[in-house]
Amino acid sequence: MYQAIYTASFFMAWAGNLLGISLSLFLAQIKQCGPFIIGLTGFSGNFTYTLITFLLSRHSLKNKTAFIYTTIAIGTSYFLIVFSPVPLIFALLILGGVFYAIFWPSIQGCFVFINDDLKIGLYNLFWSGGVILGTFSSGFIYSLSPYVPFFVTLFLSISAFFTLISKKNHLSELDIKRPLSDKMKEPISPVLIKEIRMLNFLHFFAWGSIFYLYPKLGLLRGFSPQFIGTMIGTLLISRFVTFFLLMDKPLILHPSRFILSCFLFCISCILIGYGEYPLIIIIAAIIMGSTGAFAYHNSLQMHIKYNLKTEIHECIIGAGLFSGSLIAGLLGQMFNLPLAYVMIGTFILIVGLWYSKDYFPFCTKSIL
């Protein structure tokens, strides 16, 4: 049963990231859209995703296997983009956001029942592996034709559906609402919850600005679609490798984790914004991918082990993605994309200094 969950996660992550990168190129080259419109497309789907996951955290679905059918709905919504004008594309992305908001938290909810570090780690490897394949293949698939990625996305969604439907009976038997295990009966600090969630938000805030807007900047710098896909793929490979190293690890708590992560996010944003040589871009991608994996690992482990709503975990991810893409798009339109990335990196560093003031009081004295 869990192999079906891993496989479906792999297919849907592949489909989502293939579509995301290809859509940015599609809008820039075929629809002739500017940075703001491209950023707004990332905002629309991710804002919907955030809103629906937040609502589901308050009102859970009664049908615990409904997420199986969202795979078909996601593939169909994204496939119809090929035939749609820009206004209708926004509507289809909103639909995709709704269906993904049901799919991912439900998949993660299956692991609350078992409380197994290794299975959670394998899940992270499979979905992040799908993200890698989707990203690396995006440039090649898009170069065949700007329309091919949408057909591939539909095929992957159908494959995920048949993988899950074959295990529907087993999935329906899972009781994902369970009390805390004996080793987790001690409550987690609300301050710690807030810090872990904020760091994961900043991770996806930076990632959203890069995923949706860097294809535009890369094209302006003369990079090929293949290199753009490879660059983002490198970021994801470093995240995958870090997930592998963290596969059976519990929460990792260190006093300097927040400020150090924010510093690394800041450096990678600046290098990506102003880097004109492939090696600099690749190094920045590795830094961001490794740091982001740590933030995600802690967040998912915390929500599953302490029986917190996985919908909130996904809501934070969506909020980071839509706000990152929207703000980067606005800043890119007002100034330019390189400066936008510097401003985003600086903002992340300031947040890191503020959240770390209790551990490093001297950090905030210079900015107050």
Side-chain angles (χ1 to χ4, degrees), residues 68-79:
I68 296 174
Y69 303 96
T70 63
T71 55
I72 291 289
I74 290 167
T76 303
S77 299
Y78 289 159
F79 177 71

Side-chain angles (χ1 to χ4, degrees), residues 39 76 84 91 110 113 135 140 175 210 270 277 335:
T76 303
S84 306
C110 297
F113 175 71
T135 305
F140 171 74
D175 177 17
I210 293 169
I270 293 173
Y277 300 99
F335 305 103

Side-chain angles (χ1 to χ4, degrees), residues 24 35-47 50 198 200-215 269 288 315-333 336-337 339-345 347-348:
S24 296
F36 178 69
I37 295 298
I38 297 173
L40 198 58
T41 59
F43 170 84
S44 59
N46 287 307
F47 177 78
T50 303
M198 175 57 74
N200 203 35
F201 168 82
L202 294 174
H203 161 216
F204 283 97
F205 180 82
W207 168 237
S209 69
I210 293 169
F211 186 80
Y212 291 100
L213 274 300
Y214 187 78
C269 284
M288 179 165 289
C315 177
I316 290 168
I317 291 173
L321 289 173
F322 86 69
S323 58
S325 62
L326 179 65
I327 291 175
L330 285 171
L331 293 175
Q333 194 78 22
N336 56 64
L337 285 174
L339 183 58
Y341 286 122
V342 171
M343 296 173 73
I344 288 171
F347 165 75
I348 291 174

